[in-house]
Amino acid sequence: MIEIKEHPLDKYLRADRIPHIWCPGCGLGSILNCFLHALKECKIDLDNLAIVSGIGCTGRVAGYLNVDSYHTTHGRAIPFATGLKLANPKIKVVVFSGDGDLFAIGGNHFIHAARRNVDITVICVNNYNYGMTGGQLGPTTPIGAKTTTTPYGNFEHPFNLCKVAAASGAVYVARWTALHVRRLKESMKEALMKKGFSFVEVIASCPTTYGRYNKMPTGLDTMKYYKENSIIMHSIDPNKTDIDDRIIVGKFVDIEKPTFDEMLKKVGK
Ligand code: SF4
């Protein structure tokens, strides 16, 4: 008789939704794995946790998690999460979404939630393009990179997401790649336990719609690139973390500031 053993992370996933839709070599699997381990090690009460995603490949995360999870409309994960947090301040609210969703159509929501220091955690998987819809240019596509809408190379200045987060008022800002799994998990734990608007950017491989146009046709090629070109620089000024030939990673901001809720109670008496 075959003995069926339970995987230690089984309770975090909706098994009926597996297998997932992600391509072989995509960074999303290892990033989700880090997140599940972070939840486990923080001993977060799953009954008091809500995950919100917008649209895109990363947006699928919400549907795979066995907690209260919401797959919202394009760019609207953060206002949805803000509403959840205001309605029930006791729950932990995490936004898990992609660079296009959070920083293109969702950009204004991002900067204002950070400015208000709403007590939520935002994890942004940045793969430099719109993967799900065919690999178009996005707000983080590096200069010179080829996408389906920039076949001769991107000439638009990209956003530096950590710089945007820090300048907008986030109290915790960190960046890792999908290669730095242990450090990423630790950052996710810190962000989850931080009071206020915490932000973790994860640079991730998208071999299908980004890598194969940019000399990294497999996930392994991208991991080798991260290994050779990432530099850990904790506490460096976020203004100096633009992504060029090097990817500066580390924890850049970890400060204290009253949250939106605390300000409301203090000033709104
Ligand atoms: S298109 Fe890119 S981001 Fe989307 S699942 Fe495939 S590899 Fe991952």
Side-chain angles (χ1 to χ4, degrees):
M1 193 170 132
I2 300 171
E3 188 190 349
I4 298 175
K5 289 194 177 144
E6 197 178 293
H7 188 277
L9 297 175
D10 271 359
K11 72 171 180 173
Y12 297 93
L13 290 169
R14 293 179 205 230
D16 57 323
R17 299 284 176 92
I18 307 293
H20 58 73
I21 64 152
W22 297 323
C23 311
C26 176
L28 276 160
S30 55
I31 296 166
L32 179 59
N33 190 40
C34 292
F35 183 63
L36 300 186
H37 279 281
L39 289 179
K40 188 165 182 252
E41 290 177 24
C42 288
K43 298 189 173 50
I44 290 197
D45 175 8
L46 299 187
D47 289 336
N48 282 309
L49 171 69
I51 308 290
V52 186
S53 288
I55 299 300
C57 296
T58 311
R60 292 288 170 145
V61 163
Y64 296 141
L65 289 171
N66 192 22
V67 297
D68 287 334
S69 53
Y70 304 88
H71 191 194
T72 68
T73 47
H74 198 182
R76 303 302 187 267
I78 286 183
F80 191 99
T82 303
L84 273 181
K85 187 68 189 177
L86 293 184
N88 187 354
K90 291 200 182 91
I91 59 171
K92 187 160 289 294
V93 180
V94 179
V95 170
F96 204 130
S97 212
D99 50 289
D101 180 72
L102 286 170
F103 286 90
I105 189 169
N108 263 324
H109 296 300
F110 182 92
I111 60 174
H112 291 287
R115 172 178 67 81
R116 296 178 182 122
N117 199 20
V118 180
D119 184 19
I120 60 176
T121 294
V122 178
I123 296 167
C124 176
V125 178
N126 177 6
N127 54 27
Y128 302 147
N129 81 119
Y130 288 94
M132 183 172 270
T133 50
Q136 300 93 331
L137 167 87
T140 58
T141 307
I143 298 277
K146 291 187 176 165
T147 70
T148 50
T149 49
T150 53
Y152 305 109
N154 172 36
F155 50 87
E156 293 183 10
H157 299 289
F159 266 153
N160 171 340
L161 303 187
C162 288
K163 193 152 97 177
V164 174
S168 304
V171 292
Y172 182 94
V173 179
R175 175 194 288 147
W176 297 103
T177 75
L179 177 78
H180 298 89
V181 285
R182 287 196 178 85
R183 293 173 191 271
L184 172 60
K185 180 196 71 180
E186 292 303 318
S187 252
M188 286 175 164
K189 283 164 63 183
E190 286 185 348
L192 286 166
M193 302 318 285
K194 184 83 186 174
K195 189 160 59 88
F197 191 95
S198 53
F199 176 69
V200 179
E201 176 185 10
V202 197
I203 310 288
S205 51
C206 170
T208 304
T209 58
Y210 182 83
R212 66 196 170 104
Y213 292 105
N214 291 285
K215 300 184 184 142
M216 287 179 275
T218 69
L220 188 60
D221 296 323
T222 315
M223 291 296 168
K224 282 182 184 155
Y225 180 82
Y226 295 158
K227 186 166 186 294
E228 284 158 16
N229 295 283
S230 305
I231 304 176
I232 299 173
M233 296 180 89
H234 291 300
S235 303
I236 188 175
D237 179 351
N239 289 314
K240 296 183 178 155
T241 62
D242 282 352
I243 295 171
D244 40 42
D245 295 340
R246 307 175 308 168
I247 305 173
I248 311 273
V249 294
K251 178 167 76 172
F252 309 135
V253 176
D254 193 352
I255 58 171
E256 304 298 327
K257 204 163 76 174
T259 63
F260 179 76
D261 201 38
E262 288 167 345
M263 291 298 283
L264 176 67
K265 285 185 187 132
K266 190 172 154 199
V267 183
K269 273 183 190 165

